């Protein structure tokens, strides 16, 4: 099943059912008005939506209209929880190597995580508005899952049962602000502005055998200013799968329905696949040449993040955003 949230002038948008090929859509107010309402009562409402989804794909719904990604908000325009991990530890290792820092062995067994702002996500086609290029503007191409209610202390073996939807992420980062914030010993805040998510969220079964072991086994394709930047495979070199991340996050607290859990920047040891953020390219340049040659994003730069099935059909739609100067 594929779902989206159309911009209807309200904070949480209008829940939309989207066809498998992303060509048709229909509102489902008789079942749920918003994505959060759906997630809150998933076990009750999902079977009803599944029946409509099959009818939509069979062309049996007379009220279906053409799907328009530009009308989409992030699937959850705001959420009760947005927690991002760093599941690709080779990425962390690379960043530390570039500054000649040893990586603690615990990083391979204990996931890194930060709690992001979730009160205001950016729409997948909306501009990324920032006040200064000097902040070191970077994109981070990732995968995320949406859960139902997850109890505290859930086991790795049971965590996957709580994954209801999958989507893509652009976890915008301001690299030049990060060192100063981390030096305070209290984590990210100003250096992590609003994130954005793909136009469409999909149930795991939509990925078929490409969803295994709580991982997406497909490349995540990023273009920067229309040039291919990277297509690392999300199922390769993922040290912590989503079940492990969810289990880790719930060690001391439950997760409420609609919690979003991110994978962190997709990264493969095989560097021929490219990268999913500018920081990684700059680190590779620093290791090879002693200093980075690639700049961070400037106003006017555009990033596009997308994932395709084996027939090169877009699965989630595209995050396609331009960085622009924010003026109050």
């Amino acid at each position: 099943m594929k779902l989206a949230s159309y911009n209807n002038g309200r904070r949480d948008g209008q829940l939309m059912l989207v066809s498998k090929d992303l060509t048709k859509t229909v509102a489902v107010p008789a079942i749920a008005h918003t994505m959060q309402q759906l997630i809150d009562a998933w076990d009750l409402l999902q079977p009803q939506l599944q029946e409509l989804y099959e009818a939509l794909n069979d062309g049996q719904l007379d009220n279906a209209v053409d799907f328009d990604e530009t009308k989409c908000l992030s699937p959850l325009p705001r959420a009760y929880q947005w927690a991002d991990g760093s599941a690709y530890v080779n990425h962390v290792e690379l960043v530390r190597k570039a500054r000649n820092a040893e990586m603690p062995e615990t990083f391979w067994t204990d996931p890194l995580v930060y709690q992001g702002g979730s009160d205001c996500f950016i729409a997948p086609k909306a501009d990324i508005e920032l006040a200064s290029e000097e902040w070191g503007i970077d994109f981070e191409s990732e995968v995320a899952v949406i859960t139902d209610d997850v109890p505290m202390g859930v086991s790795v073996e049971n965590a996957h049962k709580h994954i209801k939807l999958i989507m893509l992420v652009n976890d915008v980062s301001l690299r030049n602000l990060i060192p100063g914030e981390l030096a305070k010993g209290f984590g990210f805040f100003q250096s992590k502005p609003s994130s954005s998510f793909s136009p469409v969220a999909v149930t795991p079964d939509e990925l078929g055998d490409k969803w295994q072991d709580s991982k997406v086994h497909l490349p995540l394709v990023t273009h920067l200013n229309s040039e291919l930047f990277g297509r690392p495979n999300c199922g390769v070199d993922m040290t912590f799968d989503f079940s492990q991340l969810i289990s880790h996050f719930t060690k001391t607290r439950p997760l409420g329905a609609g919690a979003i859990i991110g994978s962190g920047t997709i990264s493969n040891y095989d560097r021929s696949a490219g990268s999913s953020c500018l920081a990684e390219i700059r680190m590779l340049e620093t290791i090879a040449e002693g200093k980075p040659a690639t700049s961070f994003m400037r106003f006017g730069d555009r990033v596009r993040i997308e994932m395709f099935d084996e027939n090169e059909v877009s699965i989630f739609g595209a995050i396609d955003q331009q960085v622009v100067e924010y003026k109050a």
Side-chain angles (χ1 to χ4, degrees):
M1 191 162 55
K2 298 193 175 187
L3 300 159
S5 294
Y6 263 13
N7 186 352
N8 63 350
R10 299 179 180 178
R11 287 180 183 267
D12 297 308
Q14 172 69 60
L15 179 65
M16 305 294 293
L17 193 61
V18 183
S19 63
K20 189 176 185 67
D21 61 3
L22 305 184
T23 62
K24 294 293 181 180
T25 188
V26 64
V28 288
I31 298 175
H33 289 282
T34 68
M35 187 75 76
Q36 185 63 50
Q37 287 179 350
L38 170 61
I39 297 294
D40 282 340
W42 182 267
D43 289 343
L44 174 65
L45 302 180
Q46 185 273 337
Q48 301 174 51
L49 272 180
Q50 185 64 41
E51 186 175 341
L52 274 180
Y53 182 63
E54 293 168 8
L56 176 62
N57 286 317
D58 290 339
Q60 297 176 0
L61 299 184
D62 294 336
N63 56 339
V65 297
D66 291 341
F67 178 57
D68 185 352
E69 291 185 22
T70 65
K71 294 181 179 179
C72 290
L73 302 170
S74 285
L76 278 170
R78 55 179 175 168
Y80 293 114
Q81 177 71 267
W82 159 227
D84 200 15
S86 191
Y88 298 83
V89 180
N90 81 83
H91 172 76
V92 181
E93 185 179 42
L94 178 66
V95 170
R96 295 180 72 89
K97 182 178 179 180
R99 64 173 191 263
N100 296 316
E102 290 295 324
M103 190 175 76
E105 283 298 315
T106 56
F107 280 25
W108 293 101
T109 56
D110 196 34
L112 295 173
V113 58
Y114 86 92
Q115 191 168 37
S118 59
D119 53 332
C120 185
F121 295 133
I122 308 172
K125 305 294 185 184
D127 291 336
I128 300 170
E129 298 181 305
L130 294 166
S132 175
E133 294 178 332
E134 301 306 311
W135 290 343
I137 305 166
D138 200 358
F139 55 87
E140 290 190 59
S141 304
E142 306 181 10
V143 175
V145 300
I146 300 174
T147 74
D148 62 4
D149 289 303
V150 187
M152 183 168 64
V154 71
S155 67
V156 173
E157 292 74 23
N158 288 324
H160 72 95
K161 301 174 185 176
H162 297 281
I163 297 172
K164 301 306 175 186
L165 293 167
I166 303 167
M167 53 188 179
L168 307 182
V169 192
N170 180 13
D171 181 37
V172 182
S173 293
L174 304 177
R175 301 295 185 181
N176 293 339
L177 299 185
I178 289 176
E181 282 204 298
L182 294 185
K184 296 178 181 179
F186 218 55
F188 300 121
F189 195 87
Q190 290 180 336
S191 50
K192 287 289 187 176
S194 297
S195 300
S196 35
F197 298 84
S198 51
V200 172
V202 313
T203 49
D205 61 286
E206 287 290 328
L207 299 179
D209 63 1
K210 301 304 180 183
W211 175 254
Q212 291 185 34
D213 304 320
S214 296
K215 301 177 185 179
V216 177
H217 294 267
L218 285 167
L220 183 55
V221 182
T222 303
H223 284 83
L224 179 60
N225 295 326
S226 299
E227 294 187 4
L228 180 64
F229 188 84
R231 47 179 300 117
N233 193 300
C234 302
V236 176
D237 303 321
M238 188 179 191
T239 309
F240 305 104
D241 63 40
F242 280 109
S243 289
Q244 291 171 302
L245 291 176
I246 291 169
S247 180
H248 176 78
F249 292 175
T250 58
K251 180 177 181 178
T252 61
R253 68 176 77 180
L255 293 176
I260 303 172
I261 304 300
S263 66
T265 307
I266 311 300
S267 181
N268 292 167
Y269 276 113
D270 178 5
R271 304 302 177 190
S272 68
S275 297
S276 296
C277 68
L278 287 163
E280 185 167 291
I281 291 293
R282 288 169 57 87
M283 294 307 165
L284 288 167
E285 291 169 344
T286 299
I287 291 168
E289 305 295 335
K291 62 180 180 179
T294 300
S295 64
F296 288 120
M297 297 182 79
R298 303 291 186 185
F299 297 143
D301 285 347
R302 180 175 292 276
V303 62
R304 184 180 178 94
I305 301 167
E306 200 164 8
M307 183 177 284
F308 302 90
D309 64 18
E310 292 172 312
N311 297 315
E312 292 301 310
V313 176
S314 182
I315 298 171
F316 302 89
I319 299 171
D320 192 349
Q321 300 175 301
Q322 187 173 39
V323 176
V324 300
E325 184 177 7
Y326 172 73
K327 297 180 180 179

